[in-house]
Amino acid sequence: MNHQSAKAFLAIVEHGSISVAADALYFSQPALSSYLSRLEDELGVRLFLRQKGSRKITLTPEGERFIPVAQEALLLEKHLQEYRNSCQQKTFRIGAAHSPHEYIIRPIAEKLQQMFPDLTIPLYIFPLGTHNPEELAATCDGAIRFFYLSQPRSTELLRSIPYFSDPQYLLCPADTPLPDRLLTPAELDPSFLIRQAVVYEYTAAWYQQNIPAEVPSRYPAVMNLLNVIHHFKDPRCCSFIPASAAEYLMAEHPGELTYRRVSPPPPPRTAYIFVSKTYSRPDVIRAFLHLCREYLEERPWLESLLPEDL
């Protein structure tokens, strides 16, 4: 049993519902059900009884007896985390998903390294689909994560700070025939759209409302935004890209790319900063947050969500 299984079990006990517990933990319901199933298989007992026709579930006698065991497992994990943090005063682990790892985390980490030459700053790339803030605590002391649907809150181990709103631009080859003005979705040719952003529920809903469903995209989903440039084989190609990623790609390929804005635009994504509450170097935390704010000051077209008092 790992601490995630114990946390999942106790959340279901607290809320009396797998779906409500999943929302509280920022898990999907299938993922939380999978944690519970694996835990029951490992223990060889049923911990809950599912009631037909109801989302409510009740504890079995074995489940009642398992509550203090799960609580003890979480307490042990907390002590282990505190011990690891006490041993890592000379490190500051920073994480992000693959794309913002390149164009946000790396420049921030390089400046932080200049401020603290003796500090070791390992960089961590989150696997695709890592949305739960608790999962970040085991690998990172500071992190940046983007969200579309949820609004992560602070936990026992991590403080969550809204960072910036990232609008979506239409990224195009420099020789695009699209006029250089505000466009409408009706002016786009859907067969030349690279629809990597459809993986996000809000953006998929925008496509369904604004782009004809009967016209398929010529290109498949592109999960890594940094690979999208390789799919621009025709000037009619275009792709909705978060503004921060568009800036990075245009800087990496000067003179090759441009962008347009579309109204109504696809929904923006929101960046959040996560910092460890147990990290033992407040001077490093302050410097990290200062550099995060400096990143925004150099990009006034991003809407800052950072509170003044950090």
Side-chain angles (χ1 to χ4, degrees):
M1 178 185 69
N2 58 36
H3 79 284
Q4 289 286 12
S5 297
K7 181 180 289 291
F9 167 76
L10 292 173
I12 297 170
V13 171
E14 178 183 354
H15 296 285
S17 163
I18 291 179
S19 60
V20 177
D23 289 341
L25 293 177
Y26 299 101
F27 281 174
S28 67
Q29 185 171 335
L32 195 60
S33 297
S34 177
Y35 271 119
L36 178 59
S37 296
R38 290 200 299 267
L39 180 59
E40 289 181 326
D41 290 343
E42 181 182 349
L43 298 175
V45 297
R46 294 290 298 276
L47 299 173
F48 295 97
L49 292 175
R50 284 74 166 175
Q51 301 176 8
K52 290 185 177 180
S54 172
R55 294 186 178 182
K56 294 290 184 180
I57 58 177
T58 57
L59 280 165
T60 64
E62 290 80 6
E64 291 278 4
R65 292 194 297 115
F66 187 66
I67 290 176
V69 178
Q71 291 171 335
E72 187 67 25
L74 284 189
L75 184 61
L76 176 60
E77 175 63 25
K78 179 180 179 182
H79 291 330
L80 285 172
Q81 182 66 36
E82 290 173 350
Y83 175 77
R84 283 195 292 264
N85 288 335
S86 70
C87 296
Q88 293 175 341
Q89 294 184 12
K90 294 184 178 180
T91 66
F92 185 70
R93 306 165 299 168
I94 311 179
H98 189 280
S99 296
H101 172 272
E102 292 295 324
Y103 61 83
I104 299 180
I105 289 298
R106 280 194 178 276
I108 288 176
E110 288 170 1
K111 291 182 179 180
L112 190 64
Q113 189 70 79
Q114 294 172 7
M115 298 172 69
F116 299 94
D118 296 332
L119 191 68
T120 300
I121 307 178
L123 303 182
Y124 177 74
I125 300 177
F126 304 147
L128 186 67
T130 304
H131 292 285
N132 179 16
E134 284 294 343
E135 295 182 47
L136 311 183
T139 52
C140 298
D141 304 304
I144 292 174
R145 189 74 179 89
F146 285 101
F147 290 81
Y148 275 89
L149 302 177
S150 56
Q151 295 181 353
R153 58 177 179 267
S154 299
T155 68
E156 290 184 1
L157 298 177
L158 290 171
R159 179 185 175 198
S160 169
I161 306 170
Y163 190 18
F164 63 84
S165 178
D166 204 12
Q168 294 204 57
Y169 290 169
L170 192 68
L171 194 66
C172 322
D175 57 349
T176 179
L178 290 171
D180 187 7
R181 57 172 170 76
L182 187 66
L183 304 173
T184 66
E187 295 180 87
L188 307 180
D189 184 345
S191 63
F192 287 93
L193 276 173
I194 299 176
R195 300 192 181 191
Q196 87 292 337
V198 172
V199 294
Y200 301 108
E201 180 179 334
Y202 276 11
T203 306
W206 182 91
Y207 267 98
Q208 292 168 5
Q209 182 177 355
N210 293 282
I211 301 294
E214 65 272 12
V215 182
S217 171
R218 178 165 296 194
Y219 298 95
V222 181
M223 302 303 290
N224 184 344
L225 293 178
L226 301 185
N227 288 335
V228 76
I229 184 65
H230 302 299
H231 294 264
F232 284 0
K233 297 177 173 64
D234 188 294
R236 290 168 292 177
C237 289
C238 53
S239 179
F240 283 104
I241 297 287
S244 57
E247 181 209 32
Y248 172 80
L249 288 174
M250 287 189 290
E252 287 291 297
H253 303 272
E256 297 179 29
L257 298 170
T258 186
Y259 73 92
R260 299 289 187 269
R261 294 182 179 178
V262 176
S263 179
R269 60 180 183 172
T270 302
Y272 281 81
I273 300 170
F274 295 92
V275 290
S276 171
K277 290 183 177 180
T278 58
Y279 187 69
S280 58
R281 293 281 303 275
D283 56 331
V284 174
I285 293 289
R286 285 194 298 270
F288 174 66
L289 293 176
H290 169 77
L291 292 173
C292 287
R293 185 183 295 281
E294 186 179 88
Y295 179 89
L296 288 185
E297 291 172 349
E298 296 171 355
R299 292 160 181 83
W301 40 269
L302 288 179
E303 181 185 354
S304 174
L305 302 176
L306 267 176
E308 289 298 324
D309 183 12
L310 291 174

